[in-house]
Every structure is written in structure tokens, then in C-alpha cells.
Amino acid sequence: MDVLRNNNWLLTVGTFLPVLGVIVMVFIPKGKELLIKQVALLTATATLVIGAVTLALFKYGSAGKLQFVVDTSWIPVIHSNYTIGLDGVSLPLYILSMVVTVLVMIYSWDHIPAPGNPKAFLSLMLILQVGMAGTFIAQDLILFFVFFELVLLPMYFMIGVWGGEQRQYASLKFFLYTMFGSALMLVAFLALFWQVQKTNPDASFSIPYLIDHAGDLSRSTQIWIFAGMFIGFAVKVPMFPFHTWLPDAHTQAPTQGSVILAAILLKLGTYGFIRIAIPILPKAAVAWAPYIGALAVIGIIYGALGCLAQTDMKRLIAFSSVAHMGFVMLGIATLTPLGVNAAVFGMVAHGLITGMLFFVAGSVKDRYHTLEIKRLGGMLKQMPKLGWILGFCAMASLGLPGLAGFWGEFPAIVSAYSPFGGNSGLPGVSKEVFRVFMVIAAVGTVLAAGYLLWLFQRVAFGEPKDEFADHASDGHGAVHAVGAAVNETEIHGAGHGDIHDVKLTEWIAWSPFLIAIVVLGVYPNLLFKVIDPASQTILKAFGKG
Amino acid sequence: MLSTVLHFSGLAATGDFVRPRIDYHAMAPEMILAAGICVVLLVDLFVEESKRWLTATIAGLFLIGSLIPIVTLALIGDDTRSMFDGRYVVDQFSLIMKAMFLIIGYVVVLLSTNEIEEGGYHQGEYYVLLLASVLGMVMMTSSRDLVSVFVAFEFLSIPTYMLAAWRKRDSKSNEAGVKYFLLGVFASAIMLYGMSLLYGVSQSTKLTDISAYLSAHSTTGVVALSIVFIVVGFAFKVSAVPFHSWAPDTYQGAPTPVTAFLSVASKAGGFVALVSMVYLTFPSAKDVWQPFIFVLAALTMTIGNVLALKQTNIVRMLAYSSISQGGFILMPFVVAGTKAAETSLKTIVVYLLVYASTNLGVFAVVIAVARRTRSGEISSYGGMLTWAPGLTALMTFFLASLAGIPPFGGWFAKLNAFRAVLEAGTGFGYAIAIIGAVNTVVAFGYYGNLMREMWMKPSVDGDNSPVRTPPSLLAALGITGIATLVLGILPQLVLRFGDLNDLVHTGALGK
């Protein structure tokens, strides 16, 4: 595989820069919270600047090739190298992870959740960023595994320490599920390596190498190896039977944790399918595709029905993630460039939209101290701006044309009409199955409109409920410190009980999300033209464009 | 044993005794340590009570000092230095293991400094015994003869019996020492019996001779018995289930620095001895030891894990955790007689290095925390993120390493171990890999429990006063922390030293 190696320092610096920030923060006393926040934000911003440089130097004409490639020896004993690179599929996600981290840092400026300790909180966030960015650039299976696992502990602690009432249960569940999945994934990686090594003594864990050499493995071998990877990635996505950790983790996580979880962490799983499982094991991918597709549409419907049954706003948004990731997986399962393009677009769009919804949920929780839908109401009267932002995100999430969400769902559904590029030469799958999936997925979009509009209606319309009616502050966006009013349960947020509209830090943190949702919705080609060459390359084993 | 001695003296009497050539450079680490023992003893005699802390410093200096010849030997090249008719060999395997034991010894000195000084224990004697035990370990790495293996084994064991009982007025510590001593000598007796049988059959005490004999002759009942006895003897030392029952009580009763030493150095000493037996002495009789070690490894990792899950005392939990880790170190032995022999040997070395740095780190944190809480209960770690964020972060690193979560050393050790047993492609290999994989997940139960206690639980009595860590403990934490991290991120840095061509190609494996 030909690759571009110029400016190859960029990815390494962009990935590991946050570590520098963590090291600096270690030496700052815990009491100097402002300095800690400044250093953390500065680090994240500097990382984003490197990301912007990457964006500028990326050769869009050859987005299908790996760029900024570094390939140096790392652990020769196990034939694993430090191989990194970026192509059109990983670029959007890599940049998204940096953007999300910066914006979450800005949001954290005055939203450090209880029990405080910004030093530990922000350090974990920076380490998380290393793991996320690293996963997207890794081009070696062992390196990928290390980064994939690196996000585990920080998120475990983020949920377990700064989360809600049942944080310990939720964090442990998250950890055990993911660890179980990644154990099987690692076994699959090792098995893959040995199978390839049987015929190629110089085999390595490099992903491009395995794409070139693992295709010859027999179909049954591929299917078994794929099974291991499938469970590892499917837990992370999460796909239907493996999703039960997600509602708990999302509901209990602090706002920042939920946003990062939704925006980036879930994508590690879908990205793994696109980057590793499908191109390396094409025969198995074809064999598995109908099952993945089936689980994906089950996820769409199940997630939607789950949403309709929820009484907690955050839990509802969490279930909607299951449904949305179902669309992404459906797109991937079609094994067409259109489907994979839709999947990657859907990943970015879901990251922006659901991330934003979790931000809104966090702010609602800050103000009302509850997310129980039946206690909320009349948000448009009390906080019109926040209310309309919620409405906007709900519209985007249900896939309204003109907003980003549409371009993830619609092409995914379309691609299911003719899976495998309309080429019926591929064995084992009948198109009819996918056409059934297509219809079911389309029903899913209707359900999505149902639960999201219903949520918006219940939360934002009508009159504020009595218990909150007299809490409104006299001016929108005004910040009042009502010191005495702070009781035990209200230490979340900036320490004032008043219900006020969107604050400055919230505006700064949110507007890039909102702008991106509109821009990508109006001009999706911005993203598609980057993704498309790469997904063509990834699917080249399937023999058509 | 007796006959061996007679055998040698008989040689001397007939007059054809030639003074063996002694390679002083190769022997320098042992000699420096021996000198250190004498110096510490003398300083302890002539220095007044208030300056007894000097003994710790001197012991530490001698340990570092004996690292110097190891470094020069390693730099000079890869020639194997063989002495006494090939019965005492300095090769790459022994060099890297010697370096490990000396660094472990140094870290244990750092861990002990405050504990022993403040406890008013007999400082001079303590460090003499510690150095003696380290000397035994250093000798063990080079021993290629049943007699020297046994002498080194006793040399490393006997001081630790006394060290375990070092808190004289504490009945628990006495219990620890006596239990360890009784079971230890019992194991030695069994092992010695096995060795004598092996000598009786093969007419030699030299490991390579025995190996040659065993591969030329079919395995008889006596040979099988002797192999089982020898493995049982070392299984006691590495606290493999079902020979582990001494470990939790001894670990809990002994002073914590001694526990750290026992759980790391003494265990590693047992493994080094087991390597010289399995890889050099009886690799050809794998029908005997392979199923036996398989059962030991499977039981050790599983039972250690299950029992660790329900412990409430941190040291007992760590005792069972180290039993279970021992099971993982035993895992590569299962495939020692297959085509994966070379990989499995390297794996053992890597695992020992990672385990040593990580487990010493864990005990350093335990000692630092116990200075504040005066408690060994796991619940006393509640709220540690508030009162000791640095220690919490380090402890998290170490626990993650033990659990095998990247990017800390443990993941690579575990990955390597799985790689070795899977590479062999034998039924035993696959079986132990599956058992190991299940245990890896189970182990997170108790490591995660401690993490949860530190990060997510409130402090026991609402006391959030910070913990003060003395400089020597900080140094120990620094050494182990950096080692754990570096081993995880850049394992190749250390793996280079563990290339071990010598043992593999000149030893029995090469044949």
C-alpha cells in the first residue's frame, strides 16, 4: 500500500501532547484550581491547533491513502510496530475527538461536577483524549489495542467518581463489558496474526500488511476470527444484545463524560469495524453482513421503543444512541462505499448531535436538579434559548433534512437497497434480506421522530411545573450567586439554585457544535468528499467502486 | 548429598585435583555482596545506636555496587563465562536475573529504612540477612549443579525465615516466621530427596549431565518421582496451589517490607530455580512435569484469584494476588518442552521483571498508606483520592499493571505469556490459555475493588489530612513507577537485555 510520509511528526505530537499537560498538572498544587483549568484548556487547545495544522496539510486529493505515516520499530519481539497514519475515514473522527475535548474543557470551566477535584477530572480527560486520538491513528493491531484500552480506566473513574447516584454500579458494568469485549478482540488479533504467519514468516500486526495478506485465509477461519473482533467492537458500539451497559453508563456519567462517551467513545467500535474487521477479513465480512444488519435494525427498533418507555431525559438520549448506532452499523453491513460513507458521516453527526443533547441534558440537570421528564415542562417559557437549542438538537437527531443527522441516516437506508454495490456475485447473501432491513430502518426513523418530538413537547412546551415556576431568575443568562440557597443536593453546577438561560461558557462550548450541525447538514459534501476515497480503498477487496 | 561431598573429596585425595580457574570478573557481584555482609555486620558492631541507620545506607550502596560488574559484564559481550566445570555459569539469563535481584534488594532496602528504624528493630542484623538472601538469589541464577542449586536455595531461604519473624513481640509475626520455616524446610527435604534420587540415577550432579542422561534413557518410575519431588519443593517456594497455605499468614504477619521481599524476590528465586530444572535438567522428561505443572498453574491462578476476591485485608489480598500472578508465571512452563520453549523462557523473564517492579510498587504504596492509617483493611483506603492523590494515581498504575491493562507493564507480560502458550499449539497450551484468559477478567474483581475504594468511596472517618511519605519511600515509588510504565510503553528497551541466546543455544534447549 502506497502511503504519504511527509510531515509525519504531526500525528505523534497531536496524540501525545495532552500527556505533557498532564505532567505539568501533576506539579500544580490541588488548590490552584484556576491554574489547573488554564493549563488543561491550554493543552487541549494546543492539541486542537496541531489538529488544525493536520487538517490544513492533509492532501485531500489522496484522501484514500494513509498520510503522515510513521512506521518505526516498537516491539520487534512480537512483530508489532509503531505504525500510525491518517486517511479520509479517520481524519474526521480524529479531529472531532480534539474538538470535543476542547469544548468539554470549556464547559468544565464552571461545571466541575461533585465532588470537585478539577485536577484529577481534567487530567483524566486529557488522558482520555490520548486514547481516543491514538485509536484513530493506529495502523497496528497491538498499538490499536493499547489505545483502545487506554480510554477504559479514565472513563471508569470519570463515571465512578463524578457520576450520579448509581455511579459505582454503572462504572463497573461499563468496565467489565468493555474489558470482556476487548479480551476477545485481542485473542482474535493474535489468532489472525498466527494464521497469517503460517504462510508469511515475516508477518506483522500492521493493518495495511494484514489487509494485503489476510484475505487469503479460508472462509471459516476468517469467520471465527471475525467473531472475536465482532464482540470486541460490538460491545463498544454498542450493538443490540451488548448494549445494556450504555444506558447505565450514560445516565450515571457526569455531563462531560456522557458527551465524550457519545461523541467519541462509541465510535471506537464502529471505526474498528471499518478500519480492521471488514478490510482485513472480507470473506467473513460478507458472511457476517446479514447478521450485523439484522442486529443493527433490531437495535434501531429496540432503541426507539426503549426511548418511548423512558421517564428520564438522559436515559432517553442514551437509548437514542443505540438506535442511531444501529443506522451506522446498517450502513457498514451493506459493505458499499455509500453505506460506509453514510456510517462515517453518521458517526460524526451522531457525535455532534447526541453530544449536544447530553450537554443540554446536563444543563437542565444543573438548573432543575432532576431529569425526570414528567417533572419538567415549559422550558420555552422559562429558558427560551435552552429550550430552542433542545428543539434544534431533537430535530437534528431525528434526521431532519438540512441538518447533519439526515446525511447519516438517509444514505444508510438507501445503501441497504442494493448491498454489496448491487453486485449479486457475492455469495451467501440475498439482497431481499437487506431490503427488509431497509424498510424496518425506515420505520425506525418515524419512531425516532416520535420519541424526540414527544420528549421536546413534554419538556419544552406548556407551562413550567409548579415546583419550579417561581425559581426563574429575573434576567436571561444572568448569574446570581445565592449562596445560602445551596444545599447538599444542589452542589452540582456553579452553586446557584436559580433557573437561568444559557450561560457564556455554555454558549462558547456549544456554538461550534450547533454551527457544525448546520454546516454539515447544508453542505454534506464537505465531509463526504474526504470520506469517500478512503471508503473506496477500504472496500477494494469487494471488487468495485 | 553426602555422597556428592565424598565424590569431590575423593577427587582431591587422588591428587589429580587442579585448582579451578576462577573468573573474578564474573564472580565480582557475589564477592561484593559477601563483602557487604561483612561490612554491615562490622559497622553494626562498632556504631552507636543512634547511627545505626548507616547500615541501611551501606547495604544499599553494596547492592548498587554489585550492579557495576554486572553492567560491565553485559557491556563486554555475549560470551558465556563458565566456571567450575560448567557448574557455575554467568550468561545473559543469569546477568539479567542478577540485576533484577539486586535492584529488588535495593528497593526493599528503601522500603525498609523507615519501617525498621522507627520500629526499633535490630537494624544491622536485618540488613545482613537481607543481603545474605539476595546473595543466595544471585548465586541461584548461575547455579548449574544440583549442589549449588540447593545451597543457593537454602541461602536465599533461611534468612527470610528469620526476617518473617522480625517483629519479635508480635505473635502474628512469630507465627509467620514459624509457619514459613516449618513448611520451608519440609519442602527443602522433599526437594533434596528428589535431587538425591536424580543423582543416584544419573551419577552426576551437573545439570547438563543429568539432562544428557535423561534424554538418552527412557523415563523410569524413580526419575518421575524425583522430578515430581523437585517440582514440589520449588512449588512451595513460589507458593503454587496446593502448596501455598503458608503464604497468606506469613505475608500478613511479617513486616510489610519483608512481605514485599518475599512476594517478589523470594518467589522469583524459586522461579529461577525452576527454570534451571525444567529447561536445563529434565526438559526431555516432559511427560512427567508438563501435566504436573499444567495442573499447578491452573490451580494456582484460579484458586489464588477466587480467594483474593473475598479478602478484606490488603496484605492478604495481595498475598492471594501474588499467588495468582505466580500461576501466570507458571503458565509458560507448561509449554517449555515444545517448539515454543525459547519464547516461553523469554516470557518468564519478562513476566518476572514486570511482576517485580509492579508488586514492589504496590507494597511501597501499602507501606506509605499504612504510615498514615495504621490499618491493613482495604476499607481504610477510602477517599484516598482526596488525601493522597499522588499515591492513588501510582497505586492505580500498579493495580492496572497487575490486572493487565495497557499501557502499564502487566499487559505486555500477560500478552507475551499468552503468545508463548498459544504458539506451542499443544492441547495443554490452549487449555492453559483459556484458563488464564478467564482469570485475567476475574482478577479485575479485586484489583478494581481496591481502585473503587481509593477513588469512589469516602474516607473512613472523614479525616482528609494528607499523608506524608518519607524520601526513601518516594525513591522506591519512583523507581517502581517508572519501571512499570516504561516496561509497558517501551517493552523493547528491556527485552533487548533478555535475548537469552546463551541459555537457549548452549543449554539443553539448543539440542
Side-chain angles (χ1 to χ4, degrees), chain A residues 180-257:
Chain A
F180 171 71
S182 40
L184 285 175
M185 182 181 88
L186 183 62
V187 171
F189 287 174
L190 292 176
L192 173 65
F193 174 74
W194 275 305
Q195 292 300 330
V196 173
Q197 202 186 26
K198 273 184 186 165
T199 48
N200 307 280
D202 61 336
S204 79
F205 279 101
S206 148
I207 294 174
Y209 179 91
L210 289 171
I211 289 175
D212 290 346
H213 291 84
D216 305 333
L217 296 179
S218 74
R219 186 163 173 274
S220 57
T221 312
Q222 288 201 8
I223 287 176
W224 279 107
I225 297 173
F226 197 98
M229 294 186 188
F230 173 78
I231 293 180
F233 296 141
V235 165
K236 202 86 167 185
V237 169
M239 290 188 73
F240 164 64
F242 308 109
H243 68 281
T244 58
W245 64 268
L246 180 96
D248 289 311
H250 262 318
T251 316
Q252 299 303 324
T255 305
Q256 290 89 333

Side-chain angles (χ1 to χ4, degrees), chain A residues 276-304:
Chain A
I276 294 169
I278 287 173
I280 294 181
L281 302 166
K283 289 177 199 157
V286 174
W288 274 83
Y291 303 100
I292 296 177
L295 290 178
V297 293
I298 293 176
I300 293 173
I301 299 298
Y302 180 88

Side-chain angles (χ1 to χ4, degrees), chain A residues 351-488:
Chain A
L352 294 171
I353 297 166
T354 309
M356 199 50 230
L357 279 170
F358 276 116
F359 266 139
V360 173
S363 289
V364 169
K365 172 104 182 179
D366 268 352
R367 288 156 174 80
Y368 293 100
H369 306 293
T370 180
L371 283 168
E372 230 177 299
I373 297 173
K374 66 172 187 278
R375 286 176 65 192
L376 301 171
M379 217 158 88
L380 285 175
K381 282 234 166 97
Q382 271 184 319
M383 305 179 289
K385 289 180 190 137
L386 190 63
W388 281 118
I389 290 174
L390 175 65
F392 174 82
C393 298
M395 297 298 165
S397 184
L398 65 83
L400 193 74
L403 296 177
F406 177 74
W407 298 107
E409 291 184 3
F410 177 67
I413 296 173
V414 171
S415 69
Y417 182 77
S418 53
F420 320 122
N423 181 348
S424 56
L426 285 163
V429 190
S430 62
K431 276 185 211 163
E432 285 67 29
V433 176
F434 271 87
R435 294 199 179 147
V436 173
F437 293 162
M438 184 184 86
V439 175
I440 301 175
V443 174
T445 58
V446 179
L447 288 175
Y451 63 77
L452 283 162
L453 292 177
W454 194 35
L455 168 76
F456 183 52
Q457 180 197 329
R458 284 180 292 174
V459 171
F461 292 172
E463 291 297 324
K465 295 281 169 10
D466 292 341
E467 58 177 322
F468 299 116
D470 49 354
H471 279 271
S473 64
D474 44 342
H476 298 308
V479 177
H480 292 282
V482 190
V486 183
N487 64 32
E488 303 294 328

Side-chain angles (χ1 to χ4, degrees), chain B residues 9 78-79 110 222 365:
Chain B
S9 53
D78 50 6
D79 55 328
L110 290 176
V222 176
V365 177

Side-chain angles (χ1 to χ4, degrees), chain A residues 113-115 121 155-172 247-258 312 314 365 369 371 489 492, chain B residues 456:
Chain A
F121 188 71
M155 191 40 93
Y156 170 65
F157 290 131
M158 211 178 242
I159 299 172
V161 179
W162 290 273
E165 292 287 304
Q166 296 185 325
R167 54 183 182 272
Q168 294 192 19
Y169 167 75
S171 60
L172 191 63
D248 289 311
H250 262 318
T251 316
Q252 299 303 324
T255 305
Q256 290 89 333
S258 294
D312 183 285
K314 215 170 169 188
K365 172 104 182 179
H369 306 293
L371 283 168
T489 60
H492 287 273
Chain B
M456 303 173 196

Side-chain angles (χ1 to χ4, degrees), chain B residues 308-330:
Chain B
L309 282 173
K310 56 172 201 177
Q311 300 304 322
T312 55
N313 180 291
I314 180 94
V315 178
R316 275 190 99 78
M317 189 271 268
L318 290 174
Y320 284 110
S321 137
S322 81
I323 290 174
S324 159
Q325 296 283 340
F328 278 99
I329 309 177
L330 276 174

Side-chain angles (χ1 to χ4, degrees), chain B residues 63-247:
Chain B
L63 284 164
I64 294 293
S66 44
L67 265 176
I68 296 170
I70 290 179
V71 173
T72 56
L73 281 169
L75 287 177
I76 284 174
D78 50 6
D79 55 328
T80 302
R81 290 160 184 257
S82 170
M83 282 164 281
F84 308 111
D85 187 26
R87 291 162 205 267
Y88 199 86
V89 175
V90 178
D91 52 15
Q92 289 185 344
F93 170 74
S94 72
L95 280 182
I96 186 153
M97 285 290 107
K98 280 177 190 184
M100 184 188 84
F101 284 125
L102 291 171
I103 293 171
I104 293 174
Y106 182 69
V107 173
V108 171
V109 168
L110 290 176
L111 296 182
S112 312
T113 311
N114 292 81
E115 188 91 353
I116 299 300
E117 194 182 347
E118 290 162 15
Y121 305 120
H122 309 273
Q123 289 190 59
E125 291 84 344
Y126 178 89
Y127 293 108
V128 167
L129 290 176
L130 191 65
L131 285 179
S133 185
V134 173
L135 177 55
M137 291 161 190
V138 167
M139 284 163 58
M140 176 63 86
T141 63
S142 287
S143 298
R144 299 287 184 270
D145 184 282
L146 286 183
V147 177
S148 54
V149 165
F150 181 72
V151 169
F153 189 72
E154 290 302 296
F155 206 169
L156 75 86
S157 301
I158 292 171
T160 55
Y161 302 147
M162 289 177 261
L163 289 175
W166 209 247
R167 289 190 308 204
K168 250 165 69 178
R169 285 166 207 87
D170 181 354
S171 64
K172 284 234 167 190
S173 186
N174 285 317
E175 182 196 338
V178 170
K179 222 170 210 174
Y180 189 29
F181 171 70
L182 288 178
L183 286 170
V185 291
F186 180 55
S188 295
I190 292 178
M191 185 181 73
L192 200 54
Y193 188 42
M195 285 180 171
S196 69
L197 288 177
L198 205 52
Y199 169 68
V201 171
S202 68
Q203 298 297 315
S204 172
T205 55
K206 190 175 165 186
L207 300 189
T208 44
D209 287 353
I210 298 174
S211 169
Y213 174 87
L214 289 180
S215 54
H217 298 76
S218 61
T219 309
T220 59
V222 176
V223 170
L225 198 63
S226 68
I227 288 173
V228 168
F229 278 1
I230 291 174
V231 173
V232 165
F234 292 127
F236 267 103
K237 199 75 204 167
V238 302
S239 57
V241 178
F243 311 108
H244 67 289
S245 53
W246 59 272

